[in-house]
Amino acid sequence: MRVMLRHLVPARVERAGIRTGLRWKLSAAIALVGALVAVALSLVVHNAARVSMLDNARDLADERVRIAQHTYEASGRTNFPSIKLDDPNLPPELRKKVAEGRRATFVSDRAGGPPDIWAAVPVKDGHVLSLHTGFTDRSTDILYDLDQALVIGSIAVVLGGSALGVLIGGQLSRRLRKAAAAANQVAKGETDVRVREAIGGVVRDETDDLASAVDAMTDALQQRLDAERRVTADIAHELRTPVTGLLTAAELLPPGRPTELVLDRAKAMRALVEDVLEVARLDGASERAELQDILLGEFVSRRVAAKDPEVEVRVVHESMVTTDPRRLERVLFNLLANAARHGKPPVQVTVEGRVIRVRDHGPGFPEDLLAEGPSRFRTGSSDRAGHGHGLGLTIAAGQARVLGARLTFRNVRPVASPEHIPAEGAVAVLWLPEHAPTNTGSHPMLPLPGQ
């Protein structure tokens, strides 16, 4: 389960460039949209207010010039000091309208100042009455105050939109982080974790759809893996009986070289069947550790001496550990068998506290094993011509998991040497836990009192 999901749900995705959170991207987008909307509305409101004020000023000037026209035509005099007769500064556009016999107003802009308001009307004697005023200070102040209010409002909109974006983006980011954390747990083999339950929440959105899809994928993969384990276990179990019969029959053959060859292959087949059954049990996560207190250094020294007296054992620091001796012995012997089969002597075992190191002086572990961990039926030989079936380290890793331990692999290279320099040996390190087996998918089973 772990190997398949590792490629589907990677624990960490690294990309080149600057990495930013979703909340800040969403906040920046909302702030940008808010700023654009605020600027657009401010321009519209400013122009509308300015046009309205100019229209009012033109209406007032038109009313005054109309009154001046009636007064002039009745008495021959103007009643407003600002009314002029045949003003030479009259704008050409306005003069043209008046020449057509029409009363008209005109607005002319001044660089760096308020606009000028013009109004003119022809009278009966052929003269032109005109009024020239400027944009009033009151109107200018009102427009200035309006611009200030629009600027303050725009800033408030941008800040409020940013805060809203941080709030919404933060909530969505938290849900995605929870989903990623749950998916990482699934990738590590914790198949009972459900992403949909991990993110929680009442509101349904696309995050829930993603979580449901990941959960469905996990269930489908788990069902497929369970089916494959059952098939593997059933095949190995069905093979056990005929292989045992074959071995018994071979032992009844008369002594000789052919009999030795048959016995050797029958024993190898029985060992393979037993290994496959053990892998199936370990994959089922139903194994239980029977815990005992042992002196780790003394235990390793005695077991290694009984297995292979030529292996050097060095106890740097003795330690009392609580573990399953049978499973620990299985891990240790598999590591020694792998070192003897694929490495070169001398093979050395070092015990330091709760850590066991097994080192050989061969060509080192394959790169794919260092990158992905042990894999069944993969021996590191690309042409499959190597010895063994690749189950030894797989069983060692599975038994270590039941013990709550951590099994790591590395190659020994000269100090500061590049990667292309051949390794000077392989080191397998078993890190036993401080407090019994931890959450490994298999639960420790303590001995009953009196046993």
Side-chain angles (χ1 to χ4, degrees):
M1 181 70 175
R2 178 186 304 179
V3 175
M4 294 185 68
L5 286 179
R6 182 179 302 163
H7 302 285
L8 296 174
V9 189
R12 183 179 60 183
V13 178
E14 294 182 353
R15 297 186 306 172
I18 300 175
R19 180 183 178 185
T20 57
L22 180 62
R23 68 167 66 184
W24 303 116
K25 292 180 180 178
L26 187 58
S27 175
I30 293 179
L32 179 60
V33 173
L36 293 177
V37 172
V39 170
L41 289 178
S42 298
L43 292 176
V44 170
V45 172
H46 173 85
N47 290 332
R50 185 175 183 273
V51 169
S52 178
M53 291 180 181
L54 287 175
D55 289 342
N56 291 335
R58 293 173 68 173
D59 291 341
L60 180 59
D62 182 68
E63 181 67 19
R64 288 181 177 179
V65 80
R66 186 177 61 83
I67 297 174
Q69 176 189 9
H70 290 304
T71 303
Y72 179 80
E73 290 179 347
S75 62
R77 292 179 298 132
T78 60
N79 58 344
F80 292 108
S82 55
I83 294 292
K84 293 184 180 181
L85 191 64
D86 296 330
D87 189 353
N89 296 324
L90 198 66
E93 296 85 350
L94 185 58
R95 189 183 299 276
K96 181 178 179 182
K97 295 292 183 182
V98 174
E100 297 174 357
R102 300 166 55 185
R103 189 176 74 249
T105 59
F106 181 78
V107 177
S108 61
D109 293 323
R110 285 190 300 175
D116 291 327
I117 311 297
W118 295 84
V121 61
V123 291
K124 294 180 179 180
D125 57 2
H127 294 288
V128 175
L129 292 178
S130 62
L131 175 66
H132 178 205
T133 60
F135 207 46
T136 63
D137 293 340
R138 175 178 173 80
S139 298
T140 304
D141 293 340
I142 293 175
L143 199 58
Y144 177 76
D145 294 339
L146 178 62
D147 290 341
Q148 280 190 324
L150 291 174
V151 170
I152 295 175
S154 300
I155 294 175
V157 168
V158 172
L159 294 179
S162 300
L164 182 62
V166 171
L167 181 63
I168 298 175
Q171 183 179 5
L172 182 59
S173 178
R174 282 192 298 271
R175 289 167 62 83
L176 290 176
R177 282 198 299 269
K178 290 179 181 179
N184 285 333
Q185 289 180 296
V186 173
K188 293 177 182 178
E190 301 179 22
T191 56
D192 57 335
V193 176
R194 288 295 174 266
V195 180
R196 177 65 186 85
E197 297 176 358
I199 62 177
V202 178
V203 180
R204 298 297 300 272
D205 55 16
E206 287 79 2
T207 309
D208 297 88
D209 298 335
L210 174 62
S212 300
V214 174
D215 290 340
M217 179 193 68
T218 303
D219 293 336
L221 288 176
Q222 184 62 42
Q223 292 174 2
R224 180 177 177 181
L225 291 175
D226 290 341
E228 292 179 355
R229 292 193 194 103
R230 286 193 298 269
V231 171
T232 303
D234 292 342
I235 293 175
H237 190 271
E238 292 298 327
L239 285 175
R240 174 186 281 179
T241 300
V243 169
T244 302
L246 177 63
L247 182 60
T248 302
E251 291 175 348
L252 299 178
L253 294 175
R257 181 59 180 170
T259 299
E260 293 178 359
L261 293 177
V262 172
L263 280 174
D264 179 69
R265 291 299 87 196
K267 290 179 181 179
M269 185 177 296
R270 183 177 65 177
L272 175 59
V273 171
E274 295 296 333
D275 286 347
V276 171
L277 282 173
E278 186 173 358
V279 170
R281 289 195 300 269
L282 292 172
D283 285 344
S286 59
E287 295 290 281
R288 301 292 185 269
E290 299 178 0
L291 303 178
Q292 296 181 17
D293 292 335
I294 62 172
L295 287 172
L296 186 60
E298 179 185 351
F299 175 85
V300 172
S301 299
R302 287 191 288 106
R303 294 299 192 274
V304 173
K307 180 70 174 177
D308 188 354
E310 295 183 0
V311 175
E312 176 188 351
V313 179
R314 185 165 65 98
V315 180
V316 178
H317 176 64
E318 183 64 276
S319 176
M320 178 71 72
V321 298
T322 302
T323 188
D324 187 331
R326 180 181 65 84
R327 298 183 187 278
L328 178 60
E329 181 182 88
R330 178 69 161 151
V331 175
L332 180 61
F333 284 180
N334 280 20
L335 295 179
L336 290 174
N338 183 80
R341 181 178 294 114
H342 301 288
K344 293 181 181 179
V347 177
Q348 302 168 331
V349 178
T350 304
V351 181
E352 185 174 359
R354 299 176 178 275
V355 181
I356 302 175
R357 293 180 176 86
V358 178
R359 179 188 175 181
D360 62 64
H361 291 74
F365 292 114
E367 293 299 327
D368 53 358
L369 184 145
L370 296 177
E372 302 178 8
S375 179
R376 65 198 69 177
F377 299 107
R378 184 171 64 187
T379 63
S381 177
S382 59
D383 57 1
R384 300 300 300 273
H387 300 288
H389 304 283
L391 296 178
L393 294 183
T394 302
I395 292 174
Q399 295 289 7
R401 188 168 60 251
V402 176
L403 295 176
R406 183 164 59 97
L407 184 59
T408 61
F409 306 92
R410 65 180 178 88
N411 290 333
V412 179
R413 299 183 185 275
V415 179
S417 63
E419 291 294 329
H420 66 275
I421 299 299
E424 296 180 346
V427 180
V429 185
L430 180 67
W431 311 74
L432 292 173
E434 184 176 358
H435 302 291
T438 56
N439 184 17
T440 61
S442 297
H443 305 283
M445 183 175 66
L446 296 175
L448 297 176
Q451 293 185 341

